[in-house]
Amino acid sequence: MSWTDERIDQLKGMWERGLTASQIAEELGGVSRNAVIGKAHRLGLQSRPSPVKANDAPKKAAAARKPVAAVEAEAPAARPAPAPVAAAAPVPPRAAAPSPSQVATPPKVDPVANDAPTPPPQPRIVSVGPGGFLRQGPGDQQAPIPPAPPRRLVPAKPSAEIADKTSLLDLTERICKWPMGHPGEPDFHFCGEAVNPGFPYCVEHCGRAYQAQLPRGTRRPPPPLPFGGPRVR
DNA sequence: CCCTGATTCGC
DNA sequence: GCGAATCAGG
């Protein structure tokens, strides 16, 4: 896969919305988490709190793999501060955003206080809602109208009794994908156990999925099929 | 263990 | 430019 313009746009959007590199890589497909991070940095999409970047001590890592002229280049220039990105907008990454209660209030123009010295709208950014739009108060209309990409959001879980079951969305590299029940039925889900490393199923279901070939002519009762066997109606 | 992002460096 | 390998923190 290559970084087409479209994929780069998707990367930018997701990155700015706080999705993790893994999630972005999974969504884009065909790229690794590292590829996403590398690309993001190349695009200058830095920022975002890193678990390892908190303090500044890149010397150790840099010196570890590149003990060239790292130590000698110790500049006595004490850096001022980590420079807080985007003054004030503590957007907790991936945290459930509050429901957009007052999103698009109609452009109500107050005919009374129109020439009064407009109070300085200092903290411009209010919060970021799902989809990347900026929530704004009634007085904060005049949205710059960014392209507003028709982005596909992660569908909400259907809640209900499937809540604690392993749904299609829960499948990962290391979750047993053995189907339980029949697809389409309300309680259809997947096994969800930890996989037998290297296989798509857990140990138990590997035993069902992969069975040694017996010599020809050997009679053996047919193994139970996935999906719980033929549907009985 | 799992996860995360940052960084380096051979390609 | 790309991304695997590696590092380091949670």
Side-chain angles (χ1 to χ4, degrees):
Chain A
M1 272 304 208
S2 60
W3 286 108
T4 63
D5 286 355
E6 183 181 357
R7 287 164 64 79
I8 290 177
D9 277 347
Q10 295 176 3
L11 164 60
K12 284 181 181 173
M14 295 179 190
W15 185 271
E16 285 162 9
R17 265 187 287 146
L19 294 187
T20 67
S22 299
Q23 291 174 311
I24 296 173
E26 199 175 316
E27 192 75 13
L28 290 176
V31 288
S32 68
R33 180 183 72 96
N34 277 329
V36 168
I37 293 176
K39 185 59 180 175
H41 284 189
R42 258 172 264 126
L43 288 170
L45 290 182
Q46 216 175 313
S47 85
R48 274 231 297 222
S50 153
V52 62
K53 192 58 188 272
N55 58 68
D56 59 298
K59 306 158 189 179
K60 223 166 118 188
R65 71 172 58 252
K66 190 179 185 182
V68 191
V71 182
E72 54 178 315
E74 284 310 313
R79 257 181 299 169
V85 190
V91 179
R94 262 201 298 175
S99 65
S101 53
Q102 39 110 294
V103 180
T105 305
K108 184 193 302 175
V109 177
D110 194 340
V112 179
N114 54 354
D115 61 343
T118 307
Q122 261 309 9
R124 278 293 317 171
I125 302 175
V126 181
S127 68
V128 179
F133 67 89
L134 297 182
R135 289 208 184 81
Q136 36 190 357
D140 294 340
Q141 288 305 322
Q142 184 253 346
I145 310 188
R151 203 141 267 143
R152 177 170 63 87
L153 296 176
V154 177
K157 285 222 173 94
S159 74
E161 52 285 320
I162 304 293
D164 56 342
K165 304 241 171 62
T166 302
S167 81
L168 184 62
L169 299 176
D170 298 323
L171 294 182
T172 74
E173 197 77 36
R174 57 184 75 82
I175 285 188
C176 178
K177 302 172 183 59
W178 192 268
M180 314 285 281
H182 296 80
E185 288 185 351
D187 65 337
F188 173 68
H189 60 286
F190 294 91
C191 167
E193 287 295 314
V195 296
N196 189 11
F199 295 91
Y201 308 121
C202 66
V203 175
E204 177 191 344
H205 288 134
C206 274
R208 297 231 216 163
Y210 309 107
Q211 306 205 10
Q213 188 69 49
L214 296 181
R216 282 191 169 270
T218 304
R219 274 292 171 189
R220 184 178 44 168
L225 296 172
F227 309 114
R231 183 190 294 263
V232 182
R233 207 183 277 277

